[in-house]
Amino acid sequence: MSYYVSVKRMNEILKELQKHYKVYAPMRFEKRGRYSDTDLIRYAEINSIEDVVYDEKSDFSPKEVIYPITQALFYFTEYEYMESKVDDKKILIFARPCDINGFRRLDTIFLKNGGTEDIYYKRLREKIKFILMECGEGWDTCFCVSMGSNKTDDYSLAVRFENDNILVEVKDDEFTNLFVDEKEIEFTPEFVTSNPTKVNIPEIDSQELLEKIYDLDMWKSYNSRCISCGACNAVCITCSCFNTLDIIYTENGKVGERRRVQASCMHEDFTTMAGGLGFRKTAGERMRFRTLHKIYDYKARFKDEHMCVGCGRCDERCPELISSSTTINRLYDEVEKLKKGEATQTIEQTASTEEVK
């Protein structure tokens, strides 16, 4: 069922929801943007429906709600340890289709990777329900259609903001009683069907081709452009790398806490091991790893879909104006050249063989 709800009434409904849910949405933080006198839009717990920024893309994804930048895992003494606690309330998140699809990628990484579930992720993920926000036409850096993440049916409520009123679709029976007195209407959320930015995903169908991709000169160009800041990872809904560290409270080192801290595969020391050995020493090698992970490795392992959802936040956040969509398209062109080179080589080899015969 769908309903026509005034903003005033929606705030009353929000108050009812907040008795049982923590409600998160993209919010505006004035003068906290990356440049002087610019705003920052990121996810936070809202107090009113007017807090929701629905007509601009958020600078950061909603993943921090259940995968915090810094998260206490457990506390310890010399004799015992105690797992950290979470709030008893459930969680509602206003999210766009690409981000909802992004959570599914995180689910795969944290709950299905290696046959062991991450309990610290799971205990928060189990609490979540989504309120779908329409995107309208999307934004100029989005390429969700190319990645197949522009649509979803994984939501409990869907909303469309129209001036002083809100159209609400209710899919989850748990919320039906909140709208029984509202005007019923015909409303089904619409999804983006075309983006200004389009990407072509290269088809990497052999180990031999993959090895040639590793040696492409294109990766070297990022050695001078990329500053390894990790901003692209910080805003990405599907980046999931982390480090763990122990915080010691006392001088004897026997009382403290273990924390999980988000990390970045683009940082210079991300693969550094004891003794100083590092697997990816240049920015280009790290860019190669990140790009292939988003549009090859993940799907090769889990089969269903690529890791990247095409939200375009990485393009907007990079201080060096490196575009992931452009990088993917550039890789596609290089792979096509490699394939044509292989085809030409095969023809030449066949001709030579026939001449010998």
Side-chain angles (χ1 to χ4, degrees):
M1 301 292 292
S2 298
Y3 304 91
Y4 190 75
V5 186
S6 69
V7 169
K8 179 181 178 181
R9 175 59 185 146
M10 197 66 187
N11 276 322
E12 294 172 355
I13 292 172
L14 178 62
K15 295 299 181 186
E16 288 297 314
L17 287 170
Q18 288 174 327
K19 293 178 180 178
H20 306 285
Y21 284 89
K22 299 179 76 171
V23 184
Y24 292 87
M27 286 182 59
R28 183 180 303 279
F29 294 86
E30 294 185 357
K31 310 301 182 184
R32 290 177 59 181
R34 61 191 300 197
Y35 303 115
S36 297
D37 297 323
T38 62
D39 299 338
L40 175 70
I41 301 173
R42 71 180 307 162
Y43 273 77
E45 195 170 355
I46 63 171
N47 294 310
S48 70
I49 203 67
E50 288 91 344
D51 289 338
V52 181
V53 177
Y54 61 87
D55 54 354
E56 297 180 53
K57 187 198 298 187
S58 64
D59 296 298
F60 287 80
S61 80
K63 75 177 177 184
E64 294 172 21
V65 176
I66 59 171
Y67 176 41
I69 295 174
T70 301
Q71 181 182 28
L73 303 181
F74 59 83
Y75 305 91
F76 59 85
T77 69
E78 56 206 290
Y79 303 112
E80 61 185 356
Y81 75 93
M82 179 178 67
E83 187 176 302
S84 59
K85 305 297 182 183
V86 294
D87 196 292
D88 291 333
K89 282 187 176 181
K90 295 179 284 187
I91 299 171
L92 267 176
I93 302 177
F94 282 80
R96 303 193 187 279
C98 63
D99 285 332
I100 295 176
N101 283 310
F103 274 105
R104 190 171 67 246
R105 273 71 163 177
L106 290 178
D107 292 347
T108 300
I109 292 296
F110 284 110
L111 302 178
K112 301 176 183 178
N113 188 18
T116 301
E117 294 181 333
D118 185 305
I119 61 172
Y120 301 103
Y121 177 87
K122 183 179 180 180
R123 66 185 186 177
L124 288 172
R125 184 66 175 91
E126 290 176 335
K127 294 175 175 288
I128 285 182
K129 291 188 177 183
F130 295 111
I131 301 176
L132 174 72
M133 292 196 301
E134 284 186 326
C135 285
E137 297 180 357
W139 289 270
D140 58 356
T141 56
C142 299
F143 53 99
C144 58
V145 176
S146 296
M147 304 311 300
S149 57
N150 54 311
K151 298 179 180 180
T152 182
D153 58 3
D154 180 17
Y155 59 90
S156 296
L157 302 168
V159 294
R160 177 186 296 169
F161 292 83
E162 289 191 345
N163 299 320
D164 294 329
N165 298 286
I166 301 172
L167 310 186
V168 183
E169 180 191 18
V170 181
K171 285 183 60 180
D172 190 329
D173 292 339
E174 177 183 348
F175 303 107
T176 302
N177 65 314
L178 295 171
F179 297 90
V180 289
D181 296 327
E182 306 307 312
K183 178 182 177 182
E184 292 187 16
I185 58 167
E186 292 292 328
F187 165 59
T188 302
E190 297 178 356
F191 298 103
V192 172
T193 57
S194 179
N195 301 128
T197 299
K198 296 176 174 61
V199 300
N200 297 305
I201 309 299
E203 184 180 350
I204 305 171
D205 53 9
S206 70
Q207 183 64 31
E208 181 182 3
L209 179 58
L210 182 61
E211 291 174 359
K212 290 181 179 180
I213 289 171
Y214 266 61
D215 294 330
L216 286 172
D217 286 338
M218 67 170 279
W219 305 120
K220 297 177 183 177
S221 66
Y222 297 102
N223 290 338
S224 58
R225 293 188 62 197
C226 176
I227 60 175
S228 300
C229 67
C232 52
N233 300 117
V235 299
C236 177
I237 180 67
T238 65
C239 279
S240 58
C241 294
F242 62 86
N243 289 324
T244 56
L245 69 155
D246 291 341
I247 307 298
I248 305 302
Y249 297 160
T250 60
E251 290 183 4
N252 66 9
K254 296 180 179 179
V255 179
E257 68 179 80
R258 177 160 294 179
R259 293 181 183 175
R260 170 156 68 193
V261 182
Q262 287 186 24
S264 167
C265 62
M266 298 302 293
H267 287 169
E268 293 181 20
D269 61 353
F270 182 74
T271 63
T272 302
M273 303 175 66
L277 175 65
F279 295 107
R280 293 183 287 276
K281 296 181 179 181
T282 68
E285 289 173 336
R286 294 188 286 274
M287 179 64 75
R288 179 187 66 198
F289 172 81
R290 182 181 182 275
T291 302
L292 288 174
H293 194 49
K294 296 298 182 183
I295 52 91
Y296 172 72
D297 297 333
Y298 179 91
K299 186 174 183 180
R301 178 164 188 173
F302 300 111
K303 309 305 180 185
D304 294 333
E305 57 201 0
H306 289 293
M307 193 176 204
C308 177
V309 295
C311 70
R313 290 187 179 98
C314 51
D315 286 21
E316 296 166 355
R317 202 66 184 174
C318 179
E320 295 298 303
L321 305 180
I322 296 173
S323 166
S324 289
S325 57
T326 300
T327 301
I328 295 171
N329 281 331
R330 186 179 177 189
L331 177 59
Y332 174 85
D333 292 340
E334 293 293 334
V335 169
E336 290 302 298
K337 290 178 183 177
L338 288 174
K339 288 182 175 180
K340 289 178 181 177
E342 290 172 354
T344 301
Q345 185 179 23
T346 301
I347 292 171
E348 291 175 347
Q349 288 173 346
T350 302
S352 298
T353 303
E354 290 176 351
E355 287 176 5
V356 170
K357 289 180 180 178

